[in-house]
Amino acid sequence: MKTLYFDCISGISGDMVIGALIDAGADPMILEEELRKLQIEEEYQLKWEKVIKNGITSTKFDVLLTDKHTHSHQHDQAPKHAHDHGHNHEHSHDHKHDHDHEHSHDHNHEHSHEHDHDHDHAHSHHRGYQDIVQLIEAAGFTDQVKETALKIFKKIGVAEGRIHGIPLDRVHFHEVGAVDSIIDIVGAAILLHQLDISIIKSSSVPVGAGRIHIDHGIYPVPAPATLEILKEVPIEQSNIRAELTTPTGAAIVSVLAEEFCTIPSMRVKSIGYGAGTKSFPNHPNVLRVIIGE
């Protein structure tokens, strides 16, 4: 039986999971093909490329949202939180990439290596929890992929509902229900099934430190949704003043990991590194996955 170990040396987010699985040998072309079953491909393009993070070659995965459905897009270790009402807001963030080389699959989408940009986009297209359930159930995935994706979304929905004081069926996801998070969660389920993983284990989860700015104001790290999702999961102290684990990453690891431990006994078959967006001076911002038998 194949065992996969999430080595969360710099936290975990949805896009880091996808990047690490591709880096470990999962087929991104199968990912693209399977994701078309959701029938939302006009809303996004996928991109994956090799980047260097503090000397480690890793795979950076991104969901590029098309102009047709405009969302403010903060991918990797930025707050993705649910809300029960619509409003416009502005995000200011920078994406810093330290690239040695690039293998881009983005259908002629130009992407600068280092850039700062502000978004002030209206959320013209966000989905509620029930919308996402219907989307996944209608897609025709295998039972394993469908059940995995639904469990992860329910984990997030329940946590957000508890924080905002609303029932699950009234949770409307501004960011967690945005296209990039749907792709991250369903994509993780697809790739884990493709890799034929039987057992998933994980290290403890660093969450970061400091404060972050989200729609409701300035909040401590970990954000309320992330902390709620990580109940009963061993979290790890970190001196890095940034959000290292997102609600999406927290939900993936909390739902899928059967045990939180040091690297388990196994014969290692493949290793993958998924890159985060941020770069830290003395710390590789990557998620490592170790697959063995």
Side-chain angles (χ1 to χ4, degrees):
M1 291 197 302
K2 270 193 190 175
T3 296
L4 181 142
Y5 182 74
F6 284 121
D7 194 4
C8 306
I9 57 180
S10 189
I12 185 168
S13 63
D15 55 316
M16 292 170 84
V17 170
I18 301 282
L21 294 175
I22 292 172
D23 207 59
D27 188 343
M29 306 312 291
I30 290 176
L31 176 66
E32 282 194 312
E33 184 181 338
E34 284 291 303
L35 285 172
R36 289 192 192 101
K37 293 178 180 179
L38 290 169
Q39 298 185 358
I40 58 170
E41 63 267 21
E42 76 280 358
E43 300 179 33
Y44 68 87
Q45 295 173 345
L46 303 184
K47 178 179 181 179
W48 56 93
E49 60 192 355
K50 292 290 187 184
V51 302
I52 306 294
K53 287 288 182 182
N54 298 64
I56 296 176
T57 303
S58 50
T59 296
K60 181 75 180 79
F61 175 79
D62 277 300
V63 181
L64 307 169
L65 304 182
T66 62
D67 292 338
K68 186 173 181 180
H69 296 282
T70 323
H71 296 270
S72 178
H73 179 215
Q74 263 187 305
H75 215 42
D76 168 57
Q77 292 153 318
K80 299 179 180 181
H81 302 291
H83 305 275
D84 193 37
H85 50 86
H87 59 273
N88 297 350
H89 60 278
E90 180 174 324
H91 288 302
S92 177
H93 62 282
D94 54 26
H95 288 188
K96 304 228 181 268
H97 298 264
D98 43 347
H99 295 177
D100 266 13
H101 52 284
E102 178 176 49
H103 297 97
S104 176
H105 303 261
D106 61 352
H107 311 288
N108 299 319
H109 180 93
E110 293 184 2
H111 193 63
S112 69
H113 283 196
E114 184 166 4
H115 52 280
D116 299 345
H117 52 178
D118 294 339
H119 290 295
D120 188 14
H121 290 164
H123 285 264
S124 57
H125 191 236
H126 52 266
R127 294 174 169 92
Y129 173 73
Q130 294 297 341
D131 299 323
I132 294 167
V133 169
Q134 290 168 12
L135 195 68
I136 293 169
E137 287 184 336
F141 295 126
T142 65
D143 287 345
Q144 184 180 351
V145 168
K146 179 177 72 175
E147 288 167 12
T148 299
L150 289 175
K151 279 181 189 173
I152 295 168
F153 266 111
K154 186 172 183 180
K155 186 80 172 180
I156 300 172
V158 168
E160 294 284 6
R162 188 169 291 133
I163 288 165
H164 293 295
I166 54 177
L168 181 61
D169 59 2
R170 282 190 59 222
V171 172
H172 272 260
F173 297 97
H174 254 201
E175 300 290 355
V176 176
V179 175
D180 54 314
S181 294
I182 294 171
I183 296 303
D184 287 346
I185 290 169
V186 176
I190 289 166
L191 293 183
L192 288 166
H193 179 60
Q194 186 218 323
L195 288 168
D196 195 28
I197 302 300
S198 301
I199 300 168
I200 296 176
K201 299 186 179 186
S202 177
S203 66
S204 56
V205 181
V207 292
R211 301 284 186 271
I212 52 171
H213 186 272
I214 60 177
D215 295 329
H216 296 287
I218 297 171
Y219 274 65
V221 172
T226 304
L227 191 59
E228 184 70 31
I229 291 164
L230 289 175
K231 275 183 181 174
E232 304 300 327
V233 170
I235 61 177
E236 183 179 301
Q237 180 183 356
S238 172
N239 295 322
I240 295 174
R241 297 187 69 79
E243 184 184 43
L244 298 182
T245 294
T246 65
T248 302
I252 290 171
V253 74
S254 66
V255 167
L256 299 182
E258 299 177 17
E259 183 183 357
F260 292 87
C261 56
T262 55
I263 297 174
S265 300
M266 62 173 149
R267 189 182 300 274
V268 175
K269 297 294 186 181
S270 64
I271 303 159
Y273 292 91
T277 299
K278 295 183 179 72
S279 294
F280 305 118
N282 303 307
H283 183 85
N285 188 24
V286 296
L287 170 70
R288 178 164 68 177
V289 299
I290 304 168
I291 300 172
E293 294 173 352

